[in-house]
Amino acid sequence: MLKQTLNGSWSMREITEGSWIPAQIPGSVMSTLLANRLTPDPYYRDNEYEARELFRKDYEFQRDFHVSEELYSKQRIELVCYGLDTLAEIYINNTLLAKTNNMHRTWHLDCKSLLKQGDNQIRIIFRSPINYIEGYEPEEGREIHYVSHGAMKGNQYLRKAHSMFGWDWGAQIPDAGIWRDIELIGFSGARIADVEILQHHEKEQVQLEIVTSLDRLQEGDYSLEYELTTPDDQRFTYHSKVDKDVGIYYITIDDPKLWWPNGYGDQPLYQLKVTLLNHGEAYDEKSYTLGLRTLTISQEKDQWGTEFAFKVNGIKIFIKGANYIPEDTIYSHITKERQEYLINSCIKANYNCLRIWGGGYYPSDDFYDLCDRYGIIVWQDLMFACNVYDLTKEFEENIIEEVKDNVRRLRHHASLGLWCGNNEIEAAWDQWEAFTGHSQSLRADYIKQFEYILPKVVKEMDRQTFYWPSSPSSGGCFDQPDDENRGDVHYWAVWHGLKPFVDYRNYYFRFCSEFGFQSFPSFKTVNSFTEKADRNIFSKVMESHQKNQAANGKILYYLSENFLYPKDFESLLYVSQILQGVAIKFGVEHWRRNRGRCMGSLYWQLNDNWPVASWSSIDYYGRWKALHYMAKNFYAPIAGSLERTDRVIEAHIQNETLKDTKCEVILTLKTMDFTILDKKTYSVTVPALSSLAVCKEDYEDLVKGQESKVFVEAVFIYENGEESTEIELFKPYKHLDLEEPKIQYQVDEEEDHYIISLSSERLACFVELDFAETDAIFSDNYFHLTAKEGKRVELKKSDLFGSKLENSEELAKQLLVRSLRDSYE
């Protein structure tokens, strides 16, 4: 096996009138135009619409390359394209090699007949995706009128990430290009075509079943070598002869080190290298990183219906996480470094799962390697979302190969938790008014595509991973897909339905895989795409960076229900983030309190693909919103929470660890200046993997007539030495008698971090720490100061980004501190 990369320096032009310009591959039309400063920033102001029109044109990429005598001597040479977006025509030495039409596939194209030893040329033409979807003509009776919110009509006709055509959080920039690696592969004799690795778990033993398929061009004395490296770097080598095209070999691992999701144990990883030998000479090899675990979905019957619980190594766990979308509209700008920052931010916020949403793309191998290493379970949608599909014969064949490619690529990952057929399409056919009026044949094709064709393909490629037909679903066949007592649910009555936050507490979903609330990004992020005159949430530019219809008005509606109107634009951005965090906190804490009945919470959404007002908890530039800091607390392995009904307050502790834990709860009724009116202490032991109601206190007599002047503080002190503080109010924040808290702080420097010590004279709500120029991830943020003793916040030097801060004095000078009271006059 011999490989030759074709990454690197290419040239690009617009076909009809453009001159050749330098291009870097992997890359795209948009990345190339930006690198050559031939188009303005598509994210600035309303440049998105100008950028979109670029993709009514066709573009061409080309480069010269040299084929050595050694490569040319191979019996077969393939051009392997790991990502062509999307309508590509590939020419080698001016002869058409192939046309491709799916950005999600890996294309293996036999090209030796077109090559010559020495100098060669490759050209790839990308046809306009907009012209394609606008020109598509379905058969009579199969017309599709539904358009996903924020998207371009017809986006479902092309196997291209749907959200590249826009979504209700994303820009319409349907880029094109060679977005992943491209290379030549030459081999003679035989090569490894595929390796399937199955795990069979017994008591204190795991057996690996390794199924190796060969692509043989000629007979030979073939054998396979298996090298297994343990997490502690011990190496074991095994050999087997191969007489057929498929070889099966078993390796038994005694006393295996099991892989666990984040929060439940370590993530030990084994390395397996499979080498094909012919007469002892290595012909090909493939390497895999493995985590030994069992992972499936438990659907046992119980008193409420049928559970939906991730079960890892025999343990049912509560899923904590969010929904992931592509990190950029320009896919070649999605780097391993950006992915690792995002996943590390998930770990810091105590996630154990990400759902890869079906309207984007299948992330890179690096993404899943990171999830393996950090302990993030992946709920993997297939790339279908919120659409009606024209299931022609060609479309069917195309999506079968797409799913085969990606299931083969991803199935060995320890992080892979389940395959899901699509996002929201079963529910749409069942409930959405906009789906009515389509033909019955299109409705029947839904069942054929997602409950027959694709599950059959997934099962063929991956015999051990759970398949779920849609999200939400109760199991398929349009059988009440949003049933509260079966399967998973998407709940949007809070936000789209304008229900109050307490409405979350009316539902005990078995698993909530989508729910969300919007906020604006930080002032620094808004500044990146606006001019001063644009900084009004109803300006043309701000509304262009808000893709959910009437959403800015919804933010104001919810703000009016909870907070006083902010004094200026920057304060409005700040309060919107607090509002978002409080909303999601309501839902998550309720479902965690009902662990056992509900077994998972994945809020919408983790991240953004451009600077925008959205449901994300981390914005496009990686800045944590208030929600992400709050998630760190409400997703903590051991977390306390309060629930108020009238003047009765209950304290709860959720223990999502594998050990019982002793906890102390100090419940204190205070005035705004921290005068203590009532104080009680409780000591409890919370069993492993459970939620416990600690106490219930009725404050009727103590607070009557002064509801706006008091608050309840709960300090939860855990056996591991950590503690957390929660507050509960008897009136909404807008009706509290909050005075200027007079916050003071000092900064001390340690070797690798800073300590920020804060105190106040009165209750300070949602205290925000930030810098005007520098970005930072603090150990806590958007917290309450509830006692004169104050709070210590740690800032690691490795968590400072942007402009450097040289010492504690400079940090203290640059630090910006505000609380809710600062947001209004």
Side-chain angles (χ1 to χ4, degrees):
M1 176 76 72
L2 190 62
K3 295 183 179 182
Q4 178 177 325
T5 183
L6 295 181
N7 291 349
S9 298
W10 290 54
S11 299
M12 186 197 84
R13 66 171 180 173
E14 189 270 306
I15 282 183
T16 59
E17 56 193 41
S19 56
W20 291 103
I21 58 175
Q24 281 296 309
I25 298 301
S28 68
V29 171
M30 185 57 69
S31 70
T32 301
L33 293 174
L34 287 169
N36 286 276
R37 300 184 179 182
L38 294 175
T39 193
D41 178 1
Y43 302 155
Y44 187 66
R45 304 195 77 218
D46 55 359
N47 288 347
E48 166 202 353
Y49 310 112
E50 178 183 341
R52 177 186 62 198
E53 294 308 299
L54 293 170
F55 298 98
R56 295 187 181 278
K57 302 176 181 179
D58 300 333
Y59 295 86
E60 182 177 15
F61 291 80
Q62 76 166 23
R63 70 160 290 171
D64 297 329
F65 61 96
H66 185 84
V67 174
S68 67
E69 180 180 0
E70 182 183 12
L71 176 60
Y72 194 72
S73 69
K74 300 299 182 183
Q75 287 178 273
R76 181 184 295 173
I77 304 175
E78 290 181 348
L79 176 68
V80 183
C81 309
Y82 296 95
L84 297 177
D85 180 15
T86 292
L87 297 167
E89 300 168 9
I90 306 164
Y91 293 83
I92 290 182
N93 296 325
N94 291 318
T95 300
L96 179 66
L97 172 64
K99 295 184 179 182
T100 69
N101 59 356
N102 190 327
M103 74 171 286
H104 304 300
R105 288 178 61 179
T106 297
W107 299 91
H108 294 264
L109 307 170
D110 189 344
C111 64
K112 181 168 184 180
S113 63
L114 302 185
L115 293 173
K116 56 187 178 181
Q117 185 178 325
D119 295 334
N120 294 261
Q121 183 188 72
I122 182 171
R123 295 189 294 116
I124 304 180
I125 295 172
F126 291 93
R127 299 298 179 186
S128 163
I130 297 178
N131 292 344
Y132 180 87
I133 64 172
E134 290 182 348
Y136 186 94
E137 294 185 4
E139 293 182 3
E140 185 176 354
R142 295 180 62 82
E143 297 84 2
I144 298 171
H145 58 75
Y146 176 76
V147 182
S148 305
H149 295 293
M152 300 176 70
K153 181 177 174 59
N155 68 86
Q156 73 275 17
Y157 292 129
L158 190 57
R159 292 310 297 153
K160 176 179 175 70
H162 293 329
S163 56
M164 295 180 81
F165 292 102
W167 214 257
D168 57 3
W169 38 257
Q172 296 180 353
I173 304 178
D175 202 1
I178 309 167
W179 67 288
R180 280 184 170 156
D181 293 340
I182 183 169
E183 65 182 0
L184 294 170
I185 293 179
F187 71 99
S188 299
R191 66 172 171 184
I192 299 172
D194 188 30
V195 178
E196 180 185 16
I197 305 163
L198 304 172
Q199 297 184 22
H200 305 291
H201 287 246
E202 304 293 341
K203 186 176 181 180
E204 297 182 356
Q205 189 178 84
V206 174
Q207 186 180 68
L208 298 182
E209 179 183 353
I210 306 166
V211 183
T212 307
S213 301
L214 302 184
D215 182 2
R216 295 206 287 189
L217 301 180
Q218 66 186 44
E219 295 302 315
D221 183 23
Y222 296 114
S223 63
L224 290 167
E225 178 182 274
Y226 308 90
E227 182 182 86
L228 182 69
T229 304
T230 66
D232 55 1
D233 210 32
Q234 296 184 63
R235 285 179 170 79
F236 301 91
T237 304
Y238 313 87
H239 294 87
S240 69
K241 295 291 292 183
V242 183
D243 298 321
K244 300 178 180 179
D245 290 340
V246 177
I248 302 177
Y249 192 79
Y250 296 89
I251 296 176
T252 299
I253 302 173
D254 293 319
D255 192 22
K257 295 178 173 60
L258 296 183
W259 182 94
W260 290 92
N262 179 42
Y264 300 89
D266 296 330
Q267 295 78 45
L269 297 172
Y270 291 74
Q271 307 296 324
L272 177 67
K273 183 168 73 172
V274 181
T275 304
L276 174 65
L277 305 171
N278 186 15
H279 296 286
E281 179 186 352
Y283 267 41
D284 194 8
E285 68 176 43
K286 291 186 180 294
S287 296
Y288 301 88
T289 299
L290 308 175
L292 305 181
R293 88 291 184 267
T294 61
L295 203 172
T296 190
I297 302 299
S298 175
Q299 293 183 284
E300 293 183 11
K301 299 286 186 181
D302 57 25
Q303 66 265 44
W304 302 291
T306 304
E307 72 177 1
F308 191 94
F310 280 75
K311 190 174 183 179
V312 184
N313 300 326
I315 303 295
K316 296 173 186 176
I317 69 171
F318 189 97
I319 288 297
K320 303 176 297 178
N323 289 261
Y324 161 93
I325 64 168
E327 294 102 309
D328 213 305
T329 64
I330 303 169
Y331 281 34
S332 55
H333 285 178
I334 301 174
T335 63
K336 180 180 179 180
E337 290 72 27
R338 290 179 69 179
Q339 290 176 332
E340 184 159 18
Y341 174 84
L342 199 62
I343 291 172
N344 192 35
S345 292
C346 294
I347 295 300
K348 289 178 178 178
N350 296 303
Y351 284 32
N352 57 31
C353 184
L354 285 173
R355 174 175 174 240
I356 311 302
W357 171 73
Y361 77 131
Y362 301 94
S364 66
D365 295 339
D366 289 333
F367 181 93
Y368 298 92
D369 288 340
L370 290 165
C371 289
D372 292 345
R373 179 151 55 89
Y374 282 103
I376 294 291
I377 294 173
V378 173
W379 170 312
Q380 180 66 59
D381 280 5
L382 303 181
M383 288 303 114
F384 306 91
C386 302
N387 266 309
V388 178
Y389 295 98
D390 186 15
L391 190 63
T392 63
K393 186 176 185 297
E394 179 188 12
F395 188 87
E396 177 181 340
E397 292 171 350
N398 198 357
I399 62 174
I400 285 173
E401 294 306 313
E402 168 191 325
V403 171
K404 284 182 177 180
D405 279 353
N406 287 285
V407 173
R408 272 193 297 254
R409 179 169 69 92
L410 304 178
R411 66 191 174 195
H412 70 279
H413 283 281
S415 55
L416 180 62
L418 66 76
W419 297 103
C420 180
N422 66 78
N423 175 73
E424 294 189 340
I425 306 177
E426 181 188 3
W429 277 111
D430 185 62
Q431 303 163 18
W432 294 5
E433 184 177 348
F435 263 54
T436 60
H438 292 104
S439 69
Q440 288 301 307
S441 67
L442 289 171
R443 181 182 174 92
D445 279 350
Y446 170 85
I447 297 292
K448 181 180 178 184
Q449 181 172 342
F450 295 107
E451 298 188 18
Y452 177 70
I453 295 171
L454 295 185
K456 185 179 178 182
V457 173
V458 170
K459 189 67 175 177
E460 178 188 346
M461 295 290 105
D462 184 355
R463 291 179 272 172
Q464 292 192 317
T465 305
F466 184 86
Y467 177 87
W468 192 238
S470 184
S471 181
S473 183
S474 296
C477 296
F478 308 125
D479 179 18
Q480 300 179 48
D482 275 307
D483 191 334
E484 183 179 349
N485 297 310
R486 295 178 293 158
D488 72 311
V489 169
H490 293 189
Y491 173 80
W492 284 101
V494 174
W495 181 255
H496 289 307
L498 296 178
K499 293 285 187 180
F501 302 158
V502 293
D503 195 59
Y504 285 119
R505 295 176 181 169
N506 294 326
Y507 300 96
Y508 300 84
F509 305 126
R510 308 319 304 266
F511 192 106
C512 197
S513 48
E514 267 196 34
F515 63 105
F517 197 94
Q518 276 206 6
S519 71
F520 297 106
S522 74
F523 189 58
K524 285 182 280 191
T525 295
V526 171
N527 283 351
S528 75
F529 64 82
T530 59
E531 297 177 352
K532 185 176 181 180
D534 302 324
R535 292 167 196 154
N536 181 303
I537 65 168
F538 297 117
S539 72
K540 179 182 178 183
V541 169
M542 287 297 292
E543 289 192 336
S544 291
H545 287 253
Q546 167 58 273
K547 297 302 183 181
N548 183 224
Q549 189 173 11
N552 289 356
K554 284 180 182 173
I555 292 173
L556 287 189
Y557 166 76
Y558 277 104
L559 189 151
S560 73
E561 293 292 297
N562 294 276
F563 296 101
L564 290 176
Y565 193 79
K567 65 184 180 183
D568 54 30
F569 179 73
E570 187 172 353
S571 297
L572 175 56
L573 305 185
Y574 158 73
V575 176
S576 80
Q577 291 196 16
I578 293 169
L579 193 67
Q580 178 192 34
V582 171
I584 300 306
K585 185 174 187 282
F586 254 87
V588 172
E589 289 184 340
H590 167 65
W591 292 319
R592 286 196 70 180
R593 286 193 288 265
N594 288 277
R595 189 196 194 282
R597 188 171 183 178
C598 179
M599 288 301 287
S601 153
L602 296 170
Y603 64 77
W604 185 270
Q605 66 205 63
L606 171 63
N607 60 307
D608 287 325
N609 71 346
W610 74 313
V612 66
S614 79
W615 296 271
S616 72
S617 62
I618 299 178
D619 76 16
Y620 173 73
Y621 294 107
R623 295 176 178 130
W624 287 26
K625 295 183 181 179
L627 169 55
H628 209 77
Y629 282 104
M630 293 186 195
K632 181 180 180 181
N633 294 320
F634 62 62
Y635 276 156
I638 306 172
S641 67
L642 298 176
E643 182 176 11
R644 180 178 68 85
T645 305
D646 296 325
R647 292 174 177 85
V648 177
I649 292 179
E650 295 182 34
H652 298 253
I653 298 176
Q654 299 80 48
N655 178 11
E656 194 57 29
T657 73
L658 300 179
K659 295 180 180 179
D660 299 350
T661 186
K662 295 178 180 178
C663 303
E664 185 176 83
V665 182
I666 304 172
L667 208 60
T668 309
L669 178 67
K670 295 183 176 183
T671 62
M672 298 302 177
D673 64 359
F674 306 142
T675 300
I676 296 174
L677 303 178
D678 185 73
K679 183 175 181 179
K680 291 184 174 65
T681 301
Y682 304 86
S683 296
V684 295
T685 296
V686 186
L689 303 172
S690 73
S691 178
L692 181 70
V694 176
C695 62
K696 180 184 290 189
E697 289 294 327
D698 188 341
Y699 292 101
E700 172 72 26
D701 295 335
L702 290 170
V703 305
K704 190 173 183 178
Q706 54 177 349
E707 291 88 348
S708 298
K709 303 176 186 298
V710 297
F711 68 97
V712 172
E713 173 201 62
V715 178
F716 298 88
I717 303 171
Y718 308 117
E719 187 178 356
N720 61 8
E722 296 181 1
E723 65 177 65
S724 64
T725 301
E726 297 291 334
I727 70 168
E728 188 56 81
L729 310 169
F730 299 96
K731 289 288 184 179
Y733 286 98
K734 65 180 180 178
H735 292 157
L736 293 184
D737 290 346
L738 289 178
E739 297 183 38
E740 172 58 46
K742 298 182 180 179
I743 298 173
Q744 295 182 323
Y745 62 89
Q746 70 176 48
V747 180
D748 297 299
E749 185 173 2
E750 303 289 343
E751 182 178 354
D752 62 351
H753 66 279
Y754 297 98
I755 297 293
I756 304 167
S757 301
L758 301 104
S759 63
S760 66
E761 296 182 8
R762 298 176 182 84
L763 176 66
C765 298
F766 304 110
V767 177
E768 179 196 65
L769 307 178
D770 200 2
F771 301 100
E773 302 293 336
T774 302
D775 289 320
I777 299 175
F778 299 89
S779 64
D780 199 6
N781 212 343
Y782 303 94
F783 48 82
H784 307 298
L785 293 177
T786 61
K788 288 185 178 179
E789 296 78 15
K791 182 180 178 71
R792 285 161 55 94
V793 175
E794 182 178 303
L795 174 56
K796 294 180 179 178
K797 294 179 180 179
S798 59
D799 283 335
L800 281 163
F801 312 98
S803 300
K804 288 187 177 181
L805 299 172
E806 298 295 338
N807 51 49
S808 59
E809 290 78 14
E810 186 176 353
L811 190 148
K813 184 178 179 181
Q814 298 293 329
L815 185 65
L816 303 175
V817 181
R818 65 174 159 182
S819 72
L820 182 64
R821 186 60 187 83
D822 298 310
S823 70
Y824 56 89
E825 300 291 352

